[in-house]
Amino acid sequence: MSGGRLLGIDIGGTKLAVGVATRDGTVLAERVAPSEAREGPDAMIGRVLDMARSVVDEAGVAMDQLDAVGIACGGPLDPWRGVVLNALNNPGWIDIPIVRRVEEALGRPAYLDNDANAAALGEHRFGAGRGVDQLVYLTVSTGVGGGVILDGRLRRGANGNAAELGHVSIDYRGRPCHCGSVGCIEASCSGTNIAVRAREALAATGEASSLRNLPTERLTAADVTAAVRDGDPLARRVWDETTEMLGAGIVSIIHAFNPQLVVMGGGVTRAGDLLFEPVRRVVEERAMPWLRDAVRIVPAELGERTGILGAVAVALDGPDLAATSPSTNPGRTDA
Amino acid sequence: MSGGRLLGIDIGGTKLAVGVATRDGTVLAERVAPSEAREGPDAMIGRVLDMARSVVDEAGVAMDQLDAVGIACGGPLDPWRGVVLNALNNPGWIDIPIVRRVEEALGRPAYLDNDANAAALGEHRFGAGRGVDQLVYLTVSTGVGGGVILDGRLRRGANGNAAELGHVSIDYRGRPCHCGSVGCIEASCSGTNIAVRAREALAATGEASSLRNLPTERLTAADVTAAVRDGDPLARRVWDETTEMLGAGIVSIIHAFNPQLVVMGGGVTRAGDLLFEPVRRVVEERAMPWLRDAVRIVPAELGERTGILGAVAVALDGPDLAATSPSTNPGRTDA
């Protein structure tokens, strides 16, 4: 152990976030900048490394006081090799050996995991899931993702892609999902697709709705929840369907994992009780008693710092990652 | 370590099976008898213990050569306390301290797990899943159940009820399931419910079908698959729906766990390729590439010995069970 400091790097589809923190998650310095997919991975990595050097400097620590660097990035990726295989949220990120690039540039050991796993680790270590051994984290945002901790450890599955919880289906004949499956939670309940469904509902009828006063093509999930609060019946219908579908998906997830805690984060959860209450009601009605009585469904706590603290948790989880090994990784060569 | 022998006791809804095996799964002696729910737990336990003594005797081992006893039983149950809470497949089994009863009668350490977890452990140790660290076991039988092994260990969840995979839903507005949820895999794809759906299909039309030659109320899933092989179009339609739904459920399960292997057992899987081929096709079409390419879907190997060898695997897994502890068990008191 050198200085007990960790560097977290979150490479998102819309922003880059870099921070230095202590082992208990106190952020000493942080920087956030927009990410621009069109700049390509090389330029983006260069920018991230500049941010990293600045933030380490700003935190008043020397580079060699960093115990480790954690990197969170869109998947699919190979956490054991430290390679981004084909980041779905950053076009052009194909077979990028991000861990090697960061280690070479900063001279510290680095670890990689996908953004949802990182957020799960972050909530487990610093947020709503502290001390909880059986935890499901679900992010409902532009997309829907997840991370699962069982018996106190992140479970990565055969090749690092476990907990693609946004692609648990709620309707085998439902909406086609961009992933190739049908009826995925994400296909209906992501922020993006809540807005899509609201647009469809507006187009399907001539029913009055305050949402018609907004530019249709820029309608967001937040517009829908605002309209629900204002008593708009069309928005209410879209929202009720959303919470019913999301709740049903969470029931399946609870039946699969028997968690103590489902932690929900991501932009759509800013709706607060408007989201959590009906989702909990669906779980109350549908989940098997022994599983239902074991679980609570709570909001994530890390908020705007999910990216940085998730990445810091990835750094802290490095020894666990290194101790496991991929059981198989057949996808490696055909990216 | 005494004699390197293990006793497996499988208490099923229709049969009792007891066997003595070596640590590598060689069965030295076994007995099977029908179970009769109406005899009640006391009489049934008495009968099981008689079978156990006989089979130990028949195997030519002394009781103290048994390293441990494994008990497989319908859930929900508490594996850590060794108590059957409310066996859904054996009415009247409510709060039965089966582990204590067996330990007192036989004088050997005993361990308990639910039948599907036991079968998963059995396939992992002795069957199709040997050497596989990330494994999902699915039984498609009278009901649909599951067991999940991640990073080489059975994952039991918060209170021992993880992997209720039959109650992953494929249709949030689908068929009501006896469990209280809606559209569960079990609600459509269990042997029982395949037969129900065939009966409904017969009642819905006057369409000719060889199934009409059978007594409707005794129609089984095996009758449906036999009719499919004979080219019966109505049976084919029911079956195609079944494999589409089961396949869709397995896609969700693969997205949740990222297994290397999905092992499928249970009576309905006797349909063989008639089941496996279309299910694999659905997975091929719908699962995310990185997850799909990591997984194979194969038949279970233990067949008629699933019960006994599953229970033997529970005995061998005893130290792992003892090393973990339930994170919470709120359901304990309100059975």
Side-chain angles (χ1 to χ4, degrees):
Chain A
M1 284 301 136
S2 35
R5 299 293 181 262
L6 300 139
L7 178 67
I9 297 176
D10 177 45
I11 302 172
T14 58
K15 68 172 189 175
L16 307 173
V18 181
V20 172
T22 61
R23 298 179 74 88
D24 66 1
T26 305
V27 175
L28 303 175
E30 63 194 307
R31 292 207 172 196
V32 177
S35 65
E36 294 179 41
R38 63 196 150 82
E39 74 185 320
D42 282 339
M44 208 188 289
I45 292 170
R47 214 144 56 84
V48 160
L49 292 170
D50 287 343
M51 289 167 73
R53 291 185 192 97
S54 302
V55 91
V56 168
D57 192 49
E58 197 182 324
V61 304
M63 203 56 88
D64 65 5
Q65 286 179 286
L66 294 177
D67 292 346
V69 182
I71 307 164
C73 189
L77 50 76
D78 183 330
W80 294 281
R81 285 200 308 150
V83 173
V84 177
L85 298 168
N86 189 3
L88 296 177
N89 62 351
N90 268 322
W93 280 66
I94 294 171
D95 280 325
I96 304 294
I98 182 73
V99 162
R100 183 168 58 73
R101 300 277 298 270
V102 168
E103 288 185 340
E104 285 175 2
L106 304 182
R108 307 304 301 151
Y111 302 96
L112 173 68
D113 220 317
N114 74 58
D115 38 19
N117 276 353
L121 286 169
E123 289 291 335
H124 182 239
R125 209 174 268 270
F126 307 124
R130 274 169 296 184
V132 174
D133 280 346
Q134 323 286 346
L135 179 152
V136 169
Y137 172 81
L138 196 67
T139 174
V140 187
S141 179
T142 323
V144 177
V148 172
I149 284 165
L150 297 176
D151 296 326
R153 284 290 175 196
L154 185 69
R155 300 299 160 188
R156 296 180 171 87
N159 61 6
N161 289 290
E164 279 288 3
L165 303 182
H167 304 283
V168 167
S169 173
I170 48 156
D171 186 353
Y172 77 110
R173 288 182 169 167
R175 301 174 77 89
C177 184
H178 68 91
C179 79
S181 188
V182 175
C184 297
I185 297 174
E186 176 165 312
S188 292
C189 303
S190 69
T192 315
N193 287 321
I194 292 169
V196 167
R197 289 175 34 249
R199 268 179 233 127
E200 290 175 357
L202 289 168
T205 71
E207 186 182 342
S209 168
S210 60
L211 294 174
R212 294 194 194 280
N213 305 330
L214 303 167
T216 309
E217 69 285 357
R218 293 218 305 271
L219 202 66
T220 67
D223 294 330
V224 174
T225 54
V228 172
R229 289 188 204 281
D230 290 345
D232 186 79
L234 183 144
R236 166 56 74 180
R237 211 161 58 240
V238 170
W239 187 250
D240 286 349
E241 286 166 9
T242 304
T243 56
E244 185 187 359
M245 292 187 281
L246 181 58
I250 291 174
V251 169
S252 285
I253 290 167
I254 289 170
H255 288 173
F257 294 107
N258 184 200
Q260 292 165 271
L261 203 63
V262 174
V263 177
M264 289 174 62
V268 173
T269 64
R270 286 194 208 115
D273 285 346
L274 205 58
L275 181 76
F276 281 88
E277 285 183 3
V279 162
R280 287 185 187 121
R281 199 156 53 233
V282 174
V283 170
E284 187 65 31
E285 287 167 5
R286 297 195 175 191
M288 297 171 82
W290 297 95
L291 293 146
R292 177 193 68 205
D293 293 348
V295 71
R296 289 183 306 125
I297 301 174
V298 302
E301 289 181 2
L302 302 184
E304 292 297 323
R305 276 181 166 162
T306 300
I308 287 174
L309 286 176
V312 166
V314 168
L316 286 166
D317 204 53
D320 180 60
L321 174 67
T324 62
S325 65
S327 299
T328 176
N329 213 329
R332 280 184 182 180
T333 53
D334 60 3
Chain B
M1 285 299 136
S2 35
R5 299 292 181 262
L6 300 139
L7 178 66
I9 296 175
D10 178 44
I11 302 173
T14 58
K15 68 172 189 175
L16 307 172
V18 181
V20 172
T22 60
R23 298 179 74 88
D24 65 1
T26 305
V27 175
L28 303 175
E30 63 193 306
R31 293 207 172 196
V32 176
S35 66
E36 293 179 42
R38 62 197 151 82
E39 74 185 322
D42 282 339
M44 208 188 290
I45 291 170
R47 214 145 56 83
V48 160
L49 291 170
D50 287 344
M51 289 168 72
R53 292 186 191 96
S54 302
V55 91
V56 167
D57 192 47
E58 194 183 326
V61 305
M63 203 55 89
D64 65 5
Q65 286 178 286
L66 295 177
D67 292 346
V69 182
I71 307 164
C73 190
L77 50 75
D78 183 329
W80 294 280
R81 285 200 308 151
V83 174
V84 177
L85 297 169
N86 190 4
L88 297 178
N89 63 349
N90 268 323
W93 281 66
I94 294 171
D95 280 325
I96 304 293
I98 182 74
V99 162
R100 184 168 57 74
R101 299 279 296 271
V102 168
E103 288 185 339
E104 284 175 2
L106 304 182
R108 305 305 299 152
Y111 302 97
L112 172 69
D113 221 316
N114 75 58
D115 38 19
N117 276 353
L121 286 169
E123 290 290 336
H124 182 239
R125 209 174 269 271
F126 306 124
R130 273 169 296 184
V132 173
D133 280 346
Q134 321 286 346
L135 179 153
V136 168
Y137 172 81
L138 196 67
T139 175
V140 187
S141 180
T142 323
V144 177
V148 172
I149 285 165
L150 297 176
D151 297 325
R153 284 290 174 195
L154 185 70
R155 299 299 161 189
R156 295 180 172 88
N159 61 6
N161 290 290
E164 279 287 5
L165 303 183
H167 303 283
V168 167
S169 173
I170 50 157
D171 187 352
Y172 77 109
R173 289 181 170 170
R175 301 175 76 88
C177 185
H178 68 91
C179 79
S181 188
V182 175
C184 296
I185 296 174
E186 176 165 312
S188 292
C189 303
S190 69
T192 315
N193 287 321
I194 292 169
V196 167
R197 288 174 35 249
R199 267 179 234 128
E200 289 176 357
L202 289 168
T205 71
E207 186 181 343
S209 168
S210 60
L211 294 174
R212 295 195 194 278
N213 305 330
L214 303 167
T216 309
E217 69 286 357
R218 294 218 305 273
L219 201 67
T220 66
D223 294 329
V224 175
T225 54
V228 172
R229 289 188 204 282
D230 290 345
D232 186 80
L234 183 144
R236 167 58 73 180
R237 211 162 55 238
V238 170
W239 187 250
D240 286 350
E241 287 166 8
T242 305
T243 56
E244 185 186 359
M245 291 187 282
L246 181 58
I250 291 174
V251 169
S252 285
I253 290 166
I254 290 170
H255 288 172
F257 293 107
N258 184 201
Q260 292 165 271
L261 204 62
V262 175
V263 177
M264 287 174 62
V268 173
T269 64
R270 286 194 207 115
D273 285 348
L274 205 59
L275 181 75
F276 281 88
E277 285 183 2
V279 162
R280 287 185 187 121
R281 200 156 52 235
V282 174
V283 170
E284 187 65 30
E285 288 167 6
R286 296 193 175 191
M288 298 170 84
W290 296 95
L291 291 147
R292 177 193 70 206
D293 294 348
V295 71
R296 289 181 306 124
I297 301 174
V298 302
E301 289 181 3
L302 302 184
E304 293 297 324
R305 276 181 166 162
T306 301
I308 287 173
L309 286 176
V312 166
V314 169
L316 286 166
D317 204 54
D320 180 59
L321 174 66
T324 61
S325 66
S327 298
T328 178
N329 212 329
R332 281 183 178 179
T333 53
D334 60 4

